Amino acid sequence: HEGAFVINHNNAQRIFNEPGSWTYVKLNDDYLLAGTYSGLVLYKKLNDEWIYDGKVKGINESCRIMVKDDDGAIWVSHPYRGLYKVDWNVEKKYDPVVTFYDQSSGLPSNLNNYVFHVSGKAVFGTERGVYDFDTKTNRFSNDPVFNEKIGEVSRIKCLKEDLKGNIWYVTDKEVGILLVDEHGLKKEVTKKIFPELHGKLVGGFELIYPIDENNVLFGAEEGFILYNNHPRMETDTTLRMVFNGIRINRTQDSLLFGGYGGSSKSSESQSLQASLNNLSFSFSATEYKSPYLIQYQTRLDGLEDEWTAWSTETKRDFTNLGPGHYTFYAQARINDGKESNTIAYSFYIRPPWYKTNPAYGLYGLAFLGMFAGLIMRQRKKFETEKTQMTLTHQEKEAQHLREVEQSKAALSEIQNEKLEVEIKYKNQELAMTTLHLVQKAEILLTVQEALNQIREKNKDATVNKEIKSLLNLLNFDVKLDEDWEHFAHHFDQVHVDFLKQLREQFPQLSASDFKLCAYLRMNLSTKEIAPLLNISIRGVEGSRYRLRKKLNLPNDANLTEFILSLPVGHQNGNIKKDQFIQHEIS
């Protein structure tokens, strides 16, 4: 982080002060290229010492990963940008040709592209396997040799060739080695996985360092891991499955098979009572070095058609199994794909007593007895129903006669109600006509007042005489009080003494209040009431407000619904104002 240093006789001597030196590639005997936080710099050898020579143009990104292939091309990878190819020569040592490559050049993505040096050439790890670069087409393509072994869908994080030519690799799924054995002109590649290393290397900075032919060092999150490949005695690596125990799930001891005295009894079929249909299977594999890497799958023939998914569970429970033949299978595998033998246990759950053949025979006899009893019962029921139908017919005739009499009485009542409705309708028409006369009288009164004002202002005797004549004519028709009494009389006829009872129950109301109550009883709107009271709409609202106060109504009561709900005729009792509490609609 503090710059470039040279280790000389166990002493560190700084040779460049710019912070962040990642890696170094030797260009020739005289020049060295270094990747830093902010691009590439050049070092020159002078008097057997490396000195800073200058910054290289063309790349200003962090150059942590850099390799040189046997063709002399220098490749720099940036995990979040792409790949850079640097064609360097001494003539233009500070300004080489730099070519940038990304997804448009054949790479599967612009992210997570790394370059590695394998067998003298640059190979590229991507999010979808290993890629090669074709200098003729200037594009990247999938490497079938690597991806056949590692997988095209794997993200390649690290490739490292050891001293034997074997290739170590790290993907997002596993850590392993491709063992290369040369047989004449043909190479045989074998894949070996190390599940113990998965997830333990430093993410993004995976380090694999071959020390010699038999020792490889791995940089881990918690120090270093050493792999020793010295020849050793061959051991039995066969993965075997065994049953630890098979039990019936209940409180008492119910061991069916304890894992000893033979294999899994696959050739025999254990017969179990119908109530013993809750079984628990416990199993394991004979692997003691790394048991946490073992996975298991199971299947119960007779209940399941497919194997379960691989998991680390070593127990399987079944409850409420129905009658029938079953065989339980279990198999194990280790993470490198090696699978064990398959163990099996067969058993038969007998049906309950009520599902056995003797029980079915009893069911048949009982059914025949029930069928015979049903026939006898139906005959007796037929005779009873015949007698009942005769009585029912006689009762229906009598009922029909009663219904005819009731229909006649109902028809007479409907006719009376119709006459009553017609009378009420006529009374309503009379009330509306009276209301029209009241309006007419109010208009004439307004005209009279206007003429009086003109008469007072006008000094012409002739005109005043004519106005007086008109006033006399109008006085003949202006009888507001008499018209209102006439209207109130007819209104009470229609609404069955509404105003009379309103005066008795609310004596504190004024004449204007009674008029407003009558108009509200007729369900007139504020706009329709204003000209009848000879006031503005705002004045009607004020009258409504004062009326609510006099009636002691709460603020959320509906005044119109309260007036409409007041009892008429001979109904008695106080009004329950809380029945009409809701938002008032003007």
Side-chain angles (χ1 to χ4, degrees), residues 455-494:
R455 181 183 177 190
E456 291 175 359
K457 295 179 181 179
N458 191 10
K459 304 300 181 180
D460 191 341
T462 303
V463 174
N464 288 338
K465 184 178 180 180
E466 292 178 357
I467 293 174
K468 184 177 181 181
S469 177
L470 291 174
L471 290 173
N472 292 333
L473 182 61
L474 291 174
N475 287 332
F476 178 77
D477 210 8
V478 176
K479 298 176 182 180
L480 296 178
D481 292 337
E482 294 179 1
D483 286 343
W484 168 252
E485 293 298 331
H486 183 66
F487 168 78
H489 173 72
H490 284 279
F491 181 84
D492 274 346
Q493 285 184 344
V494 175

Side-chain angles (χ1 to χ4, degrees), residues 51-310:
I51 61 173
Y52 174 73
D53 190 53
K55 185 173 179 60
V56 177
K57 299 179 182 179
I59 302 180
N60 296 318
E61 304 289 347
S62 176
C63 299
R64 180 171 66 90
I65 305 171
M66 180 171 57
V67 300
K68 176 186 177 185
D69 61 19
D70 291 352
D71 295 333
I74 300 164
W75 290 90
V76 179
S77 68
H78 193 290
Y80 306 112
R81 297 286 188 275
L83 295 169
Y84 298 88
K85 181 183 179 185
V86 180
D87 294 317
W88 185 88
N89 57 68
V90 178
E91 287 75 13
K92 292 184 177 181
K93 61 181 181 178
Y94 303 122
D95 190 15
V97 177
V98 178
T99 308
F100 176 71
Y101 298 93
D102 58 7
Q103 191 172 0
S104 62
S105 302
L107 294 171
S109 171
N110 291 335
L111 301 176
N112 300 315
N113 296 307
Y114 297 89
V115 59
F116 308 102
H117 188 267
V118 177
S119 298
K121 69 173 186 176
V123 295
F124 305 90
T126 71
E127 289 188 338
R128 298 187 64 84
V130 179
Y131 275 63
D132 290 327
F133 180 74
D134 190 343
T135 56
K136 295 180 180 179
T137 61
N138 201 33
R139 291 184 61 83
F140 294 88
S141 60
N142 189 293
D143 189 317
V145 177
F146 274 104
N147 295 327
E148 181 183 357
K149 297 295 183 180
I150 300 177
E152 294 185 14
V153 297
S154 300
R155 175 185 168 190
I156 307 300
K157 297 183 176 181
C158 182
L159 293 173
K160 185 66 175 181
E161 186 178 14
D162 63 14
L163 301 180
K164 292 182 178 180
N166 302 319
I167 300 172
W168 293 84
Y169 69 91
V170 179
T171 70
D172 54 351
K173 300 178 180 179
E174 60 191 18
V175 179
I177 184 174
L178 300 180
L179 300 170
V180 181
D181 294 329
E182 295 190 9
H183 298 281
L185 299 176
K186 184 179 179 181
K187 292 184 179 180
E188 182 178 342
V189 179
T190 304
K191 175 182 175 181
K192 184 178 181 180
I193 300 174
F194 295 90
E196 300 90 342
L197 297 177
H198 180 63
K200 294 186 177 181
L201 306 186
V202 182
F205 295 86
E206 289 81 6
L207 171 65
I208 302 176
Y209 185 80
I211 300 174
D212 52 36
E213 291 186 352
N214 295 317
N215 294 280
V216 181
L217 199 64
F218 296 87
E221 292 282 357
E222 300 178 354
F224 291 95
I225 298 175
L226 178 64
Y227 173 72
N228 190 301
N229 194 28
H230 286 160
R232 60 187 65 186
M233 293 179 60
E234 290 294 331
T235 59
D236 185 7
T237 59
T238 303
L239 195 63
R240 293 187 178 89
M241 279 289 292
V242 294
F243 277 118
N244 296 334
I246 302 174
R247 296 179 179 272
I248 298 173
N249 288 333
R250 63 181 187 181
T251 55
Q252 299 177 355
D253 185 14
S254 56
L255 181 65
L256 295 178
F257 179 64
Y260 52 87
S263 60
S264 61
K265 297 186 179 181
S266 59
S267 59
E268 302 177 3
S269 182
Q270 182 105 12
S271 180
L272 303 175
Q273 298 178 11
S275 59
L276 306 180
N277 59 349
N278 298 327
L279 275 70
S280 177
F281 296 85
S282 178
F283 43 85
S284 63
T286 58
E287 168 62 36
Y288 307 102
K289 180 180 178 182
S290 51
Y292 56 90
L293 299 175
I294 303 297
Q295 294 180 328
Y296 302 90
Q297 66 174 358
T298 60
R299 186 179 85 245
L300 181 62
D301 275 357
L303 181 66
E304 300 170 330
D305 296 329
E306 302 291 337
W307 288 86
T308 61
W310 292 102

Side-chain angles (χ1 to χ4, degrees), residues 530-549:
L532 297 178
L533 296 179
N534 198 22
I535 58 177
S536 63
I537 294 177
R538 188 175 182 87
V540 175
E541 296 292 340
S543 298
R544 290 170 67 107
Y545 175 77
R546 290 189 293 274
L547 179 59
R548 291 165 61 87
K549 292 294 185 182

Side-chain angles (χ1 to χ4, degrees), residues 306-335:
E306 302 291 337
W307 288 86
T308 61
W310 292 102
S311 70
T312 57
E313 291 292 330
T314 59
K315 187 178 180 182
R316 185 87 188 275
D317 295 331
F318 297 94
T319 59
N320 297 324
L321 293 174
H325 293 273
Y326 298 92
T327 301
F328 178 79
Y329 296 97
Q331 189 180 25
R333 75 172 183 182
I334 201 164
N335 276 1

